[in-house]
């Protein structure tokens, strides 16, 4: 929820959400100066900032005050863009207030994903566009994927955290399509895409990612000696994937776009 976390996330994790946001923007088609676009669960602005660059009138919302503080700073150059602290499951906007509403890795992780999807659709005008993206498999991409692999290697008998209900419902393309059609959308298109996270390899990887690791619940719960074991496993995985001093981690995501009747 803090600005410190938002800044850490921007430096380390936006590299994986950015490519997904770019893919969604490509599929939205032309975005003009009169386009009213809502970004739900906007995070550090992987979609909101390039959408603002396109000239759209961007409104971004996130439940985390730190993310919103960072994003408002990033959106200062754009007079028609702003960000608010808001729960995506209870949007404080009128019906039909936007031409486009997007949720990148947001709705699928909400406590009540059906309510979040219904709210996203409600605030879009008839004929407007609703777009979602979610991971194909948990825990997602980049450093989160590497941490999960290391935890499994060090603690093979520990069960993985249960997947959120929304992720189970929306991470499969066929289930995603059915959920959007059942919600009243039409002309629904669902695709699987690949997104890459790139970083430095070698010991510099842990130096660059240690702050982010400190925010990961599974890592934070470890004792000091257990953290050392996990970091050794991470370093081994980094070395395994390293090419010319870099590491590239590829993750699949599901992108869906539909129109409101």
């Amino acid at each position: 929820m803090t600005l410190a976390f938002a800044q850490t996330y921007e430096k380390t994790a936006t590299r994986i959400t950015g490519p997904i946001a770019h893919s969604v923007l490509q599929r939205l088609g032309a975005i003009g100066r009169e386009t009213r676009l809502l970004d739900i669960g906007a995070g550090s602005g992987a979609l909101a900032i390039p959408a603002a660059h396109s000239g759209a009138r961007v409104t971004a919302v996130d439940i985390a005050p730190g993310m919103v503080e960072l994003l408002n700073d990033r959106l200062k150059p754009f007079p028609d863009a702003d960000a608010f602290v808001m729960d995506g499951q209870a949007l404080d906007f009128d019906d039909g207030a936007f031409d486009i509403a997007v949720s990148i890795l947001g709705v699928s992780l909400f406590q009540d994903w059906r309510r979040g999807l219904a709210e996203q659709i409600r605030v879009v005008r008839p004929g407007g566009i609703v777009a979602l993206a979610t991971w194909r498999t948990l825990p997602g991409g980049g450093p989160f994927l590497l941490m999960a692999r290391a935890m499994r290697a060090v603690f093979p008998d520990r069960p993985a955290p249960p997947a959120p209900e929304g992720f189970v419902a929306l991470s499969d393309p066929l289930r995603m399509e059915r959920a959007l059609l059942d919600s009243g959308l039409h002309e629904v298109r669902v695709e699987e895409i690949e997104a890459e996270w790139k970083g430095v390899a070698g010991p510099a990887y842990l130096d660059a990612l240690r702050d982010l690791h400190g925010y990961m619940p599974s890592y934070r719960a470890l004792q000091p000696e257990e953290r050392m074991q996990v970091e050794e496993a991470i370093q081994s995985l980094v070395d395994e994937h390293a090419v010319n001093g870099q590491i590239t981690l590829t993750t699949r995501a599901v992108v869906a776009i539909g129109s409101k009747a």
Side-chain angles (χ1 to χ4, degrees):
M1 291 292 183
T2 65
L3 177 60
F5 170 70
Q7 292 168 332
T8 297
Y9 187 92
E10 182 183 42
K11 288 189 297 185
T12 55
T14 303
R15 277 176 270 171
I16 189 65
T17 57
I20 298 172
H22 177 71
S23 294
V24 171
L25 285 170
Q26 284 184 314
R27 287 158 176 77
L28 291 177
I31 297 177
R33 292 194 174 277
E34 297 305 314
T35 303
R36 301 165 300 166
L37 184 146
L38 175 65
D39 186 6
I40 302 168
S44 57
L47 185 132
I49 293 172
H53 273 288
S54 75
R57 295 160 56 189
V58 174
T59 301
V61 299
D62 199 284
I63 196 66
M67 288 293 191
V68 172
E69 183 179 351
L70 181 145
L71 191 46
N72 268 319
D73 182 66
R74 301 295 184 264
L75 292 173
K76 281 180 180 178
F78 308 101
D80 292 326
D82 45 26
F84 303 95
V85 177
M86 194 177 297
D87 184 352
Q89 300 164 106
L91 295 171
D92 190 18
F93 301 114
D94 293 337
D95 295 357
F98 298 93
D99 303 301
I100 300 172
V102 182
S103 176
I104 304 294
L105 312 175
V107 165
S108 63
L109 301 179
F110 287 171
Q111 184 174 3
D112 187 344
W113 71 269
R114 292 181 179 84
R115 183 179 174 188
L117 179 58
E119 280 289 273
Q120 183 177 358
I121 295 171
R122 178 185 66 79
V123 299
V124 172
R125 63 167 174 80
I129 297 173
V130 172
L132 293 92
T134 188
W135 299 117
R136 185 66 176 89
T137 58
L138 286 180
F144 302 95
L145 179 63
L146 219 56
M147 175 63 74
R149 289 177 178 173
M151 291 288 289
R152 285 198 301 271
V154 176
F155 308 110
D157 297 328
R158 291 189 184 181
E165 181 186 348
F167 173 81
V168 174
L170 301 176
S171 61
D172 177 79
L174 292 177
R175 289 197 295 268
M176 170 78 89
E177 181 180 24
R178 176 47 52 193
L180 297 192
L181 290 171
D182 288 347
S183 297
L185 298 178
H186 64 103
E187 298 178 355
V188 173
R189 294 173 287 135
V190 182
E191 300 176 61
E192 277 194 53
I193 64 168
E194 285 190 348
E196 290 185 342
W197 182 95
K198 294 184 178 182
V200 293
Y205 176 89
L206 284 173
D207 292 339
L209 273 297
R210 193 163 277 113
D211 286 346
L212 181 66
H213 291 167
Y215 288 105
M216 296 181 183
S218 59
Y219 181 85
R220 291 183 67 167
L222 299 176
Q223 297 298 315
E225 61 273 14
E226 293 175 323
R227 291 187 181 185
M228 290 180 61
Q229 290 178 279
V230 170
E231 289 194 355
E232 289 175 0
I234 291 172
Q235 191 64 69
S236 177
L237 290 168
V238 169
D239 293 342
E240 179 183 328
H241 288 86
V243 178
N244 296 326
Q246 273 198 334
I247 178 172
T248 300
L249 301 171
T250 302
T251 309
R252 298 191 69 80
V254 179
V255 171
I257 296 178
S259 299
K260 182 175 177 178

